[in-house]
Amino acid sequence: MVREAKKKKGLTRDLHIRPFDDGTIAKLDLFRFYIREWLPVFISARTIYWNTINIYDFFAGPGKDKNGVSGTPFIILEELEPYCDIIISKGLKVNLYFNEYDREKCALLIESLGEKTNLFPVLIETDSLDFVESFNKKYNSLLGKDNANLLFFDQTGIKQINPERFKQVVSIKRTDFLFFISSSTIKRFPDHPAIAKYIKLSTKEVENTPYHKIHNLVLEYYKSLIPPNKEYYLAPFSIKKNAGLYGIIFGSNNVLGIEKFLNSAWKIDPDRGTANFDIDNDNIIPGQGNLFTGTIERPKKVELFESNLKRFIKNKTLSTDKSVYLFTLNSGMKIPFARSVINKMIKRNEIASDTFNLSNKVCKKNAIIKTINVK
Ligand SMILES: C[S@@+](CC[C@H](N)C(=O)[O-])C[C@H]1O[C@@H](n2cnc3c(N)ncnc32)[C@H](O)[C@@H]1O
């Protein structure tokens, strides 16, 4: 059946012919929260080091769903709106790029953007190209030394962000990206040549990974593509959407990028910061205590992190504030969790009291790094 006929009968997976479902809303919220954290880093900074800001959305859709709920292009504009005056006063160059290969959707997008295009002090470019062509067209514009880039690849399946493209994106300086991937496709057909071409995971490993954890395994695959010794940060967010398991993979070459992504993820999943469902089967009912111990139930991820952090500080595996800061982010945790462990350890006289710096400043050149003295 041709695509148009399928579309009319509502048989396609096209998410724009019906209202966005909960999974799509979770994805869009994550994107919104991240861009909300990202923009002030470059726009509101007292000293501007990068005066060109590129936000490129390579799978833009028509702009809104059937009920007028904003998709990524309008989320970008809504989040940019409060910064219009600063953009003008600081003379920043903000370039937005929206690509959507479906001509009908692209026309709808251009129509909805309408005069908004003139109201914003930004350059808005739209294209209706196949992703590869669109990416190649814009690639050089991402390389300028005065640039900060945010890229969004909201692909439909798994194919567009193939290993080569991933490595290419990871190599671009001052670039944060989010891409969407249908991780359950990999669980269902791990050794199908059409899948193995894009993601090389061992069939055994895929079989041994429960369905709801498959996106974390997919993340490990992308981690393996990062060149050894390269400072790079990746984080997952799993999304249950109808019967499927999807996910976002976030990437940044800056530690502040991953901290901001985790802040965004924890806003959507306040228990574990990593999924729009109970990925660890904690079965916690909010406010419910344990009948036997009288304590409030806590997610396994948080308990494990806290006990590991304590152990690693005590056995001096983590001996500085910088190592604690990085361990926290690499565990997918927010900094306040680490701060609370440190404060408790000081209170219990397990470590000497000091003003530890658990922020990205501790990763800067010439930062003062404090040693943790275990008692
Ligand atoms: C998951 S939707 C993106 C939704 C959009 N970000 C939003 O918030 O509404 C994927 C979009 O990519 C488009 N698309 C699919 N394959 C493409 C390709 N090879 N190149 C460019 N666009 C493509 C589809 O038409 C669809 O609108």
Side-chain angles (χ1 to χ4, degrees):
M1 197 183 296
V2 289
R3 196 164 172 276
E4 281 315 302
K6 274 187 177 176
K7 219 169 166 181
K8 265 189 199 141
K9 294 191 175 184
L11 293 179
T12 71
R13 290 226 198 124
D14 189 336
L15 55 85
H16 298 108
I17 59 169
R18 49 184 84 88
F20 289 148
D21 57 40
D22 289 352
T24 300
I25 296 286
K27 169 184 75 179
L28 293 175
D29 282 348
L30 185 56
F31 181 64
R32 183 187 288 282
F33 293 147
Y34 186 67
I35 192 169
R36 193 173 288 172
E37 296 255 355
W38 188 88
L39 285 172
V41 174
F42 298 100
I43 296 185
S44 307
R46 238 179 282 155
T47 318
I48 295 290
Y49 297 103
W50 305 287
N51 63 6
T52 302
I53 291 167
N54 296 320
I55 304 174
Y56 292 178
D57 181 0
F58 287 98
F59 299 83
K64 305 200 169 187
D65 79 351
K66 211 168 172 267
N67 290 346
V69 175
S70 298
T72 43
F74 280 91
I75 290 175
I76 293 168
L77 285 173
E78 284 153 16
E79 294 303 320
L80 261 174
E81 199 162 348
Y83 295 99
C84 286
D85 290 344
I86 309 187
I87 291 171
I88 296 170
S89 66
K90 289 190 174 171
L92 300 175
K93 264 174 76 182
V94 178
N95 303 312
L96 306 186
Y97 175 69
F98 302 125
N99 178 60
E100 167 54 55
Y101 88 149
D102 181 313
R103 286 185 184 279
E104 224 177 278
K105 287 190 189 183
C106 189
L108 276 173
L109 175 62
I110 293 168
E111 191 187 320
S112 341
L113 286 171
E115 76 253 16
K116 267 209 186 303
T117 323
N118 302 324
L119 295 175
F120 278 72
V122 304
L123 193 74
I124 303 180
E125 187 186 349
T126 49
D127 257 336
S128 185
L129 301 173
D130 179 62
F131 167 62
V132 177
E133 200 183 330
S134 149
F135 185 79
N136 289 340
K137 176 179 164 184
K138 297 305 284 183
Y139 180 70
N140 281 340
S141 70
L142 296 168
L143 306 179
K145 64 178 177 33
D146 296 329
N147 285 12
N149 308 311
L150 177 60
L151 310 181
F152 192 43
F153 305 104
D154 197 1
Q155 63 180 348
T156 308
I158 64 157
K159 293 184 194 165
Q160 306 293 344
I161 305 300
N162 60 24
E164 290 66 39
R165 181 109 332 98
F166 177 83
K167 286 181 192 166
Q168 205 179 1
V169 172
V170 161
S171 71
I172 310 170
K173 289 188 177 141
R174 285 176 309 282
T175 299
D176 290 359
F177 69 87
L178 294 101
F179 77 89
F180 186 71
I181 182 158
S182 169
S183 294
S184 50
T185 308
I186 295 143
K187 177 76 180 165
R188 270 185 273 145
F189 316 106
D191 41 15
H192 193 291
I195 304 291
K197 204 162 97 188
Y198 302 105
I199 296 193
K200 293 172 191 68
L201 282 167
S202 91
T203 311
K204 220 179 180 76
E205 237 180 326
V206 174
E207 277 168 9
N208 291 341
T209 305
Y211 185 76
H212 63 284
K213 294 265 173 135
I214 190 68
H215 185 59
N216 292 353
L217 186 67
V218 169
L219 175 86
E220 293 310 312
Y221 167 72
Y222 285 102
K223 274 190 182 168
S224 75
L225 300 179
I226 305 280
N229 305 324
K230 183 178 173 72
E231 185 191 347
Y232 207 85
Y233 303 91
L234 292 177
F237 192 88
S238 297
I239 295 175
K240 237 184 206 169
K241 191 167 133 59
N242 308 319
L245 201 294
Y246 302 79
I248 288 281
I249 298 218
F250 168 82
S252 176
N253 40 27
N254 194 299
V255 73
L256 185 58
I258 191 81
E259 183 176 346
K260 300 224 167 254
F261 176 76
L262 291 171
N263 288 343
S264 313
W266 277 87
K267 277 188 193 143
I268 297 182
D269 176 7
D271 291 326
R272 295 157 214 92
T274 194
N276 74 335
F277 61 96
D278 179 4
I279 194 167
D280 293 333
N281 290 325
D282 287 318
N283 295 315
I284 294 171
I285 302 169
Q288 181 177 292
N290 183 309
L291 270 182
F292 302 103
T293 61
T295 52
I296 294 286
E297 295 284 316
R298 303 172 74 225
K300 293 192 253 311
K301 176 175 167 176
V302 175
E303 303 234 299
L304 184 68
F305 167 74
E306 291 182 349
S307 78
N308 279 342
L309 179 57
K310 226 174 125 173
R311 188 158 51 90
F312 292 151
I313 290 175
K314 278 188 170 171
N315 70 18
K316 303 194 178 173
T317 306
L318 299 173
S319 58
T320 62
D321 49 4
K322 180 177 177 179
S323 61
V324 168
Y325 174 70
L326 292 174
F327 174 75
T328 307
L329 299 181
N330 285 323
S331 309
M333 299 298 291
K334 277 199 307 184
I335 300 306
F337 287 101
R339 207 166 276 133
S340 130
V341 170
I342 295 266
N343 289 344
K344 272 188 203 147
M345 290 182 83
I346 293 175
K347 232 182 199 166
R348 288 187 190 138
N349 217 18
E350 292 168 335
I351 56 172
S353 175
D354 208 334
T355 45
F356 298 114
N357 188 357
L358 298 183
S359 83
N360 70 309
K361 292 201 177 74
V362 87
C363 296
K364 295 206 163 139
K365 253 191 214 157
N366 307 324
I368 298 167
I369 295 164
K370 294 259 175 86
T371 301
I372 303 175
N373 289 314
V374 179
K375 290 201 168 175

